[in-house]
Amino acid sequence: MKLSKPIIYEIDYSKESLNSLEEKIQNKGKKEQKVMLSYPTVYIVNDKKGSSKYSVYIGETADIKRRTIEHLKELREDWQELSDSDQAKMFVVGHEHFNKSLTLDIENRLMQYLSSVEAVENLNNRRTNPQNDCYTSEELGSIFSEIWKKLQQKNKELFPLERIIRDSAIFKASPFHKLTREQMNAREDIILKVTEAINRNKEGQLIIVEGEAGSGKTVLLSSLFYELSQLSLEESENVVLKNTNQYLLVNHNQQLKVYEQIASKLGILSKRNQDVVSKPTRFINNHSEDEKVDIVVVDEAHLLWTQGKQSYRGKNQLKDLLKRAKVVVAVLDRNQILSREQYWDEQDMLETIHEANLNNNYIHLENQLRINADKETVKWIRNLIDNGTIERIPVDSKNYAIKIFDDPEEMYKRIQKKAQNEESGISRILATFDWDYVDKRKPNDEEYWNVKIGEWRLPWNLQLPQTRKEKRRTRNQAWAEQAQTIGEVGSTFTIQGFDLNYAGVIIGPSVKYRDGKIIFDKTASKNKKAIQMRAGKNGEKIDVSDFLLKNELNVLMTRGVNGLYIYAVDKELREALKKARN
């Protein structure tokens, strides 16, 4: 059965325009009257501020006239601004398949999309994230796309192409993704544990969420943080979490940018509360053990430092956070520890996880969500990384592409072609850190620090110049989102925590294949953070390079959503990979 088209009206945001809208609908056919006046509708109030920025409010209602009049009378600051503006507009969206559950899901997806639009500065909703199933759930995607296309015809600035939004890092980390059953159960479990800890005035409580790359940790954390912020509001029905404070910390520059944007758009981060999203060192230095905050949520907790560095004078950031918060939720993957200053003594890590387990505060995410492949393909990638073995590459039923290349130039051309294809989206070249790169310093004999293989070369990330206009436009974008980066090679330090549609991975000379196994050669690596010795528990120097170089490979090999292209510098490794082709 062919779906009917959505009905959308755009009006000025005022009581007079609302009355005119009602009259206009009354003059339409009975079907349209029923859809717009008797069925639930979704509405988008938007106010253009200055030349290009918008404040937006999204809601759903069974009675658009009554609900809008209520909003126009409301004294809350955000509604007052919209009511006072003579620029504010409202879209009212109806569809003959709308029911309460479907409108909630449409509302939620609009929040997800509009929070990812660059032109949107403030976005309000004041509802916790609904996760609904209904008999029309299977129609959600097609109905939403029809609505978005129709809205785009009315305002391309506020409603850009879906593809552009879905490629953005902020979209991929959005708190409004529909969670899997595993993620939803984990989120509700964490909220219960946090509520219990706050209610009983416990301190230093650690909740650990662990999962491999691509298991949905970031989406879970983003949703959790938004939910906690909503439950802390004055109007919250959760009396325990009402008026609590919560902080989101991450030790990764690119991911920090994304979270700051999300928190700013949703009104969580403000001038009065600027460190609600920050790096752990800043938080630790700004908060004392005497005045504990309520909740700290840490993404990429495997990046927390376990020794002093720069302005951090402590010995273990996680332990310092536990001294400053009643509850710490740490989301981590041991296989993504990349630097010696993040390295955990294995016994300490096991004891920390064991203690969380004893307190029933350990959650493990099992599902692989990033890689759009079947189990055999995921198993092939994991065997290569975890066990150093290269099995025959399986034929993937979902058409996930694993391709092995003889030549880096050929692989680069294929990635460029994928990047130009609107259906493929963002695709980039990545490499193990096996070529020189010094931040904020030019090399002596060439323009850029390059990845070089024979006559082929390409600059390392964050070097290609941009005009002032391009810099302004991309200042909040992650590395891979910026157009010029198709001409660069990404490292673990720019791509960790993000995904690509197709990842072209150059496995450099630090990864070799000998006697049927992958081995790591630290003498061929330029990654000082991985190959330099670090102090052990008793002050002795220990070599953890094998562990860290393996994790570097893990991060790079698990970025591709729809495909993984591989070129290996080591001849024996390249031949073993070619032999494994199906």
Side-chain angles (χ1 to χ4, degrees), residues 1 145 201 301 336 520 557:
M1 185 181 74
S145 286
N201 206 26
Q336 290 195 64
F520 298 94
M557 296 280 283

Side-chain angles (χ1 to χ4, degrees), residues 407-410 412-413 416 429 431 435-436 443-461 463-464 486-489 506 567:
D407 174 27
E409 174 66 21
E410 179 58 28
Y412 179 45
K413 285 178 181 176
Q416 283 180 305
I429 290 284
W435 292 267
D436 284 322
N444 295 328
D445 53 350
E446 50 192 341
E447 191 173 3
Y448 303 115
W449 299 103
N450 289 302
V451 172
K452 305 174 194 174
I453 302 166
E455 296 299 311
W456 183 84
R457 63 185 56 203
L458 205 64
W460 270 122
N461 43 214
Q463 293 187 91
L464 290 182
I486 189 60
E488 297 181 330
V489 180
I506 296 171
Y567 172 80

Side-chain angles (χ1 to χ4, degrees), residues 403-462:
K403 296 189 183 299
I404 312 301
F405 289 82
D406 265 327
D407 174 27
E409 174 66 21
E410 179 58 28
M411 183 171 80
Y412 179 45
K413 285 178 181 176
R414 294 286 287 275
I415 287 293
Q416 283 180 305
K417 194 172 180 182
K418 286 293 183 187
Q420 289 163 3
N421 183 338
E422 288 191 358
E423 295 304 311
S424 297
I426 295 178
S427 300
R428 293 292 184 266
I429 290 284
L430 311 172
T432 53
F433 202 158
D434 295 345
W435 292 267
D436 284 322
Y437 177 82
V438 180
D439 191 26
K440 296 175 182 174
R441 183 162 73 77
K442 288 268 189 183
N444 295 328
D445 53 350
E446 50 192 341
E447 191 173 3
Y448 303 115
W449 299 103
N450 289 302
V451 172
K452 305 174 194 174
I453 302 166
E455 296 299 311
W456 183 84
R457 63 185 56 203
L458 205 64
W460 270 122
N461 43 214
L462 306 174

